[in-house]
Amino acid sequence: MLAEKVEQMMEWSSRRSVIRMNGDKFRRFVKAPPRNYSVIVMFTALQPQRQCSVCRQANEEYQVLANSWRYSSAFSNKLFFTVVDYDEGADVFQQLNMNSAPTFMHFPAKGKPKRADTFDLQRIGFASEQLAKWIADRTDVQIRVFRPPNYSGTIALALLVSLVGGLLYLRRNNLEFIYNKTGWAMAALCVVFAMTSGQMWNHIRGPPYAHKNPQNGQVSYIHGSSQAQFVAESHIILLHSLTPISDAAITMGMVLLNEAATSKGDVGKRRSKFLIFVFLSLILVFYSMLGFLQKS
């Protein structure tokens, strides 16, 4: 029976890198012994009526990882990638008491899955490289991820360089703006705010935009753990929290105040910049008091 199961799994793998399973196939080839191979299962909800955009994004990364393993020189019958869709295996979800998707689990060749055999998607994200690292920790199988070539970044960089080069060429006789300290200060502040914002964390971690329960369809925009967040969560904070706006305003005011103090131009312009700084400072005080009143 074991030889037949391995042969069947290898035949399915030869057709597609990720084996689709329903409840019967899952119980026979993943849960039931004997089994001398490990199985990675993605529990998901890919049907359009489920409206699970995170499931589609995770499925793309999962396909990249499975293809990297299937067409590598180290491919063997010791590891298989499978998927169970909620609409094709709702009984499996109920059997495992699973109420969220997507979820990645490792079923070892021997014994039952442990807590570490469930991938921490909410904290780590679902990038292929992170999944490959988790699989290596659980199975000792090293998978080198090969992604299809994507030239969008190269094209965007080439367009940016061309745009900057064209602008410098058109203004080749008047390049004094390059030495504008205020402009460089504003650009540096924009970079600082971008690096310290929640959006940068989203870009690095790759969390889902929101979470939708495949059973009742309820959508969660706020993560339940303090160690992770959804993309929608950072957008909500950005729209409803005035602290980042006030911080940016007071920082801009400091730049203008420094320019007014060091410049030797018109006194009226220097006074205007000072008044702008005072106005932005009052905005900061107002929002600080508003936040204090809301907490109290």
Side-chain angles (χ1 to χ4, degrees), residues 24 27 49 55-56 77 113 118 122 127 151 155 170 175 202 219 249:
D24 294 335
R27 283 183 286 272
Q49 65 269 20
C55 296
R56 291 191 293 270
N77 57 5
T118 300
Q122 306 296 347
Y151 301 104
I155 295 175
L170 293 176
L175 299 177
N202 295 334
V219 180

Side-chain angles (χ1 to χ4, degrees), residues 197-241:
S197 66
Q199 190 60 34
M200 183 54 63
W201 189 93
N202 295 334
H203 180 73
I204 295 174
R205 295 285 186 165
Y209 188 84
H211 170 70
K212 183 175 183 180
N213 192 315
Q215 295 182 348
N216 53 28
Q218 183 178 2
V219 180
S220 300
Y221 298 100
I222 305 298
H223 198 280
S225 173
S226 60
Q227 303 296 324
Q229 70 177 29
F230 297 134
V231 175
E233 189 173 347
S234 60
H235 293 171
I236 293 173
I237 294 174
L238 180 62
L239 292 175
H240 291 80
S241 177

Side-chain angles (χ1 to χ4, degrees), residues 86-263:
Y86 178 77
D87 291 281
E88 299 175 1
D91 54 336
V92 178
F93 279 73
Q94 296 175 0
Q95 180 182 354
L96 299 177
N97 295 323
M98 190 173 300
N99 57 5
S100 63
T103 300
F104 298 93
M105 286 189 64
H106 165 242
F107 291 85
K110 297 181 180 180
K112 297 181 178 180
K114 301 179 181 178
R115 183 176 182 180
D117 288 313
T118 300
F119 182 69
D120 193 353
L121 182 146
Q122 306 296 347
R123 184 177 63 88
I124 304 177
F126 47 73
S128 300
E129 291 77 9
Q130 298 295 339
L131 287 169
K133 183 179 179 181
W134 168 68
I135 292 174
D137 293 337
R138 306 310 303 164
T139 65
D140 293 330
V141 175
Q142 302 292 333
I143 303 177
R144 183 180 178 183
V145 177
F146 293 95
R147 292 184 176 274
N150 186 0
Y151 301 104
S152 59
T154 304
I155 295 175
L157 180 60
L159 291 176
L160 178 62
V161 172
S162 301
L163 180 62
V164 174
L167 178 62
L168 293 177
Y169 177 77
L170 293 176
R171 302 196 58 178
R172 59 187 181 277
N173 297 325
N174 184 13
L175 299 177
E176 294 181 358
F177 68 94
I178 297 180
Y179 304 98
N180 190 326
K181 296 182 180 179
T182 303
W184 285 110
M186 295 298 180
L189 287 175
C190 292
V191 173
V192 170
F193 286 130
M195 293 299 175
T196 57
S197 66
Q199 190 60 34
M200 183 54 63
W201 189 93
N202 295 334
H203 180 73
I204 295 174
R205 295 285 186 165
Y209 188 84
H211 170 70
K212 183 175 183 180
N213 192 315
Q215 295 182 348
N216 53 28
Q218 183 178 2
V219 180
S220 300
Y221 298 100
I222 305 298
H223 198 280
S225 173
S226 60
Q227 303 296 324
Q229 70 177 29
F230 297 134
V231 175
E233 189 173 347
S234 60
H235 293 171
I236 293 173
I237 294 174
L238 180 62
L239 292 175
H240 291 80
S241 177
L242 298 176
T243 301
I245 300 176
S246 60
D247 291 343
I250 193 62
T251 306
M252 184 182 300
M254 290 296 295
V255 173
L256 294 176
L257 180 63
N258 178 72
E259 183 181 1
T262 57
S263 63

